[in-house]
Amino acid sequence: MTTGASEPPRRRVARVAVLAAVFVCAACGLVYELALVALGSYLIGDSVGQASIVLGVMVFAMGVGALAAKPLQSRAAAAFAAIELALALLGGLSVLGLYAAFAWLDLYGPALVGTAFLLGVLIGAEIPLLMVLLQRIRKQAAGSAVADLFAADYVGALLGGLAFPFLLLPVFGQLKGAIVVGAVNALAGLALVGTVFRRELGFRSRVALGAGALTVALCLGYAWVTAHDFEVTARQQLYRDPVVHAERSRYQEIVLTRSVREVGHAGTDLRLYLNGDLQFSSVDEYRYHEALVHPVLNGPRAEVLVLGAGDGLAVRELLRYPDIRHITVVDLDPAVVALARAEPQLRRLNADAFDDPRVQVVNADAFGWLRGNPHRFDAVVADLPDPDETATAKLYTVEFYALIRAVLAEHGRLVVQAGSPYFAPRSYWSIEASVREAGLATVPYHVDVPSFGDWGFVLAAPAAVAPALALPPDAPELRFLSPATLAAAAAFPADRDRVVVPASTLLRPRVLEYARMEWRGY
């Protein structure tokens, strides 16, 4: 057996080339996994479920691929190059294909499982073949060869894990990012086999690999050129009205649609969607925001905290009270606030709320911000995305409402948008129970918002007696809410009366389970 000290330079270079290929392939493989998880989180919203499906299926398939590679070891170089070309094509086009399955075919679940399985089989076949190639350069003990190979593999996986969120997504986006990784994957495989192991390739293998490389290059190149048009077309397929603005921020997909005319209403209907969930319709958003904001202002209100509401519509209602001295808006995504500041029709709708000197915007996670905040507020408006994702479910827990209670002034009040007591009664009453368990007295109420249906809120205060559900005596003229309407809002029909359900906590996010179960059919 040749020792490392007496190893010829060419052999040493060849070993480094194999380990470099392991490094690159591992990075590409992990990016494919993360891309599937991220896409599922954007489209479906279930990040934990999507990660479990993708990782579970891929790890199982990698075992299948490792076994399937046994018969290929006699022609390891050609087989490895072919596998890398297949991986480049499948992985590079995986996001595009799954997005098409979601937008047009309604087959996202089966397509995801199938894609993850095929990718896993191909990734699993890489290591056995690379082990054979490494041993052909220089025979060494199995333990040493495995250590070298897996060291390069794990370090490469680290690179892929860091490159995906911090380089590929911000620079290229999901569609083009996957295409770039596919191209890198193909180049790494072909470069290794075409230089170090070219003598092992027969004429037919060279022709076949050349044709395969050309096919992959043409497919990835065409996908790159048409990626933007494809994404625009596929996105429009998901929305009823024409899309006038779309972007994928670091946190979510932001889509603004506008229809020419809504029957029975003058003007246009502007709608904001975050990750596919409707946030408001300009036709009836005033019903939602009047019900959300004005009851919580029936009392001291000099200092107001708004959690979420990056569209500026809740802030618009707050600014109708001249005695409010300061409004702090904590919204995670600066892209939503930037859109609310820039889009002309949205600016008209929110009355340029963010330009008011009384408004301060903080782009931060509401949970983390509350933990470090020393200030007290007279009123807190929690206008946060629905708890149908892991990331948002923590904002509807006992722990979160306890943090809000800690920043409320002695006579302060809290209002929470709590979903639909009609379509999702368990979710709604679990949120109300969570607010109560955090030590606040609650008043549940609901109103009709045509775009949403029957929609519920929870008014609360850190007192033994629940706050009065009433409009402020000096409330401005409102389009929808009146004292009679608000009094009726506290009554729930017999078929949607209080449901006794447990509160939601960080360690047991029951509201997430309820939301997924109840909204599944809508």
Side-chain angles (χ1 to χ4, degrees):
M1 183 178 294
T2 307
T3 63
S6 60
E7 189 174 32
R10 286 185 180 179
R11 190 173 294 177
R12 192 177 301 121
V13 171
R15 281 177 51 78
V16 170
V18 172
L19 295 176
V22 174
F23 177 87
V24 174
C25 291
C28 293
L30 191 62
V31 168
Y32 297 144
E33 294 181 29
L34 295 175
L36 298 190
V37 172
L39 183 65
S41 300
Y42 281 130
L43 298 181
I44 307 300
D46 180 8
S47 56
V48 173
Q50 294 299 302
S52 300
I53 292 171
V54 170
L55 297 180
V57 170
M58 289 191 76
V59 169
F60 165 74
M62 287 167 66
V64 175
L67 292 174
K70 284 185 175 182
L72 305 176
Q73 292 179 11
S74 60
R75 304 185 65 185
F80 175 72
I83 285 172
E84 295 312 296
L85 288 175
L87 257 178
L89 187 62
L90 180 61
L93 301 181
S94 59
V95 173
L96 186 148
L98 288 172
Y99 199 8
F102 182 82
W104 281 288
L105 304 177
D106 196 23
L107 291 173
Y108 182 79
L112 174 67
V113 172
T115 302
F117 181 81
L118 291 176
L119 284 173
V121 168
L122 294 171
I123 292 171
E126 288 177 322
I127 291 297
L129 296 176
L130 285 166
M131 177 70 77
V132 172
L133 295 177
L134 189 66
Q135 291 288 62
R136 286 181 182 174
I137 295 170
R138 184 189 59 150
K139 292 288 184 181
Q140 62 181 131
S144 298
V146 169
D148 291 343
L149 213 62
F150 279 95
D153 186 76
Y154 295 150
V155 176
L158 172 64
L159 175 67
L162 295 176
F164 180 72
F166 299 116
L167 175 63
L168 294 170
L169 277 184
V171 175
F172 299 106
Q174 281 195 289
L175 282 180
K176 288 190 172 182
I179 295 170
V180 168
V181 174
V184 171
N185 207 158
L187 288 173
L190 291 174
L192 176 66
V193 175
T195 55
V196 179
F197 299 101
R198 64 184 180 275
R199 293 180 180 177
E200 296 188 18
L201 300 178
F203 176 75
R204 290 183 179 179
S205 295
R206 293 182 184 182
V207 171
L209 290 176
L214 180 60
T215 302
V216 170
L218 290 174
C219 290
L220 294 182
Y222 180 76
W224 175 274
V225 171
T226 60
H228 175 73
D229 292 340
F230 169 84
E231 186 171 5
V232 170
T233 305
R235 183 187 292 119
Q236 186 59 70
Q237 181 70 19
L238 301 175
Y239 297 95
R240 183 190 69 179
D241 300 322
V243 174
V244 295
H245 176 88
E247 64 176 299
R248 194 178 297 281
S249 73
R250 179 181 174 187
Y251 304 101
Q252 58 202 339
E253 183 176 60
I254 305 165
V255 173
L256 202 62
T257 69
R258 183 164 52 220
S259 63
V260 176
R261 185 176 295 272
E262 189 75 14
V263 177
H265 298 275
T268 58
D269 181 8
L270 190 73
R271 296 183 175 223
L272 175 67
Y273 296 85
L274 299 180
N275 282 348
D277 292 334
L278 177 64
Q279 304 303 303
F280 71 79
S281 163
S282 62
V283 170
D284 55 22
E285 58 79 17
Y286 64 91
R287 284 182 167 230
Y288 172 92
H289 290 101
E290 287 181 5
L292 173 74
V293 170
H294 294 277
V296 79
L297 299 180
N298 184 28
R301 57 194 182 215
E303 295 285 334
V304 179
L305 171 64
V306 181
L307 303 174
D311 52 35
L313 300 179
V315 179
R316 175 200 66 199
E317 295 298 318
L318 291 169
L319 291 172
R320 300 178 72 180
Y321 292 85
D323 58 335
I324 292 180
R325 293 200 303 265
H326 190 257
I327 301 169
T328 303
V329 180
V330 180
D331 191 276
L332 177 64
D333 196 344
V336 176
V337 178
L339 181 64
R341 291 180 184 271
E343 207 283 329
Q345 193 166 347
L346 186 50
R347 286 178 55 196
R348 286 194 295 273
L349 198 61
N350 65 32
D352 287 320
F354 291 122
D355 291 339
D356 193 289
R358 291 180 287 170
V359 179
Q360 175 192 4
V361 178
V362 179
N363 291 124
D365 173 68
F367 200 104
W369 186 87
L370 285 169
R371 293 183 68 184
N373 172 69
H375 303 293
R376 296 285 182 123
F377 296 93
D378 299 306
V380 176
V381 178
D383 187 19
L384 296 159
D386 296 335
D388 54 3
E389 299 183 23
T390 307
T392 53
K394 71 177 182 180
L395 306 178
Y396 291 85
T397 60
V398 175
E399 293 88 345
F400 183 69
Y401 297 128
L403 291 174
I404 294 179
R405 188 182 190 279
V407 303
L408 280 173
E410 182 180 357
H411 300 290
R413 292 160 313 286
L414 160 70
V415 66
V416 178
Q417 88 80 11
S420 173
Y422 182 85
F423 295 108
R426 289 179 177 271
S427 303
Y428 176 80
W429 291 109
S430 179
I431 293 170
E432 191 270 345
S434 301
V435 177
R436 276 191 292 108
E437 193 161 315
L440 296 128
T442 62
V443 179
Y445 65 104
H446 62 124
V447 298
D448 180 57
V449 182
S451 296
F452 293 156
D454 184 26
W455 209 256
F457 307 87
V458 176
L459 182 67
V465 180
L469 182 63
L471 290 173
D474 59 343
E477 183 179 354
L478 303 177
R479 297 172 62 186
F480 166 68
L481 208 58
S482 67
T485 305
L486 196 54
F492 288 80
D495 64 346
R496 283 298 181 265
D497 206 353
R498 179 184 293 272
V499 177
V500 179
V501 289
S504 188
T505 65
L506 286 176
L507 294 181
R508 184 67 190 277
R510 293 183 176 89
V511 69
L512 178 62
E513 302 169 18
Y514 297 146
R516 289 176 179 168
M517 175 182 65
E518 293 175 318
W519 285 108
R520 187 174 298 163
Y522 298 102

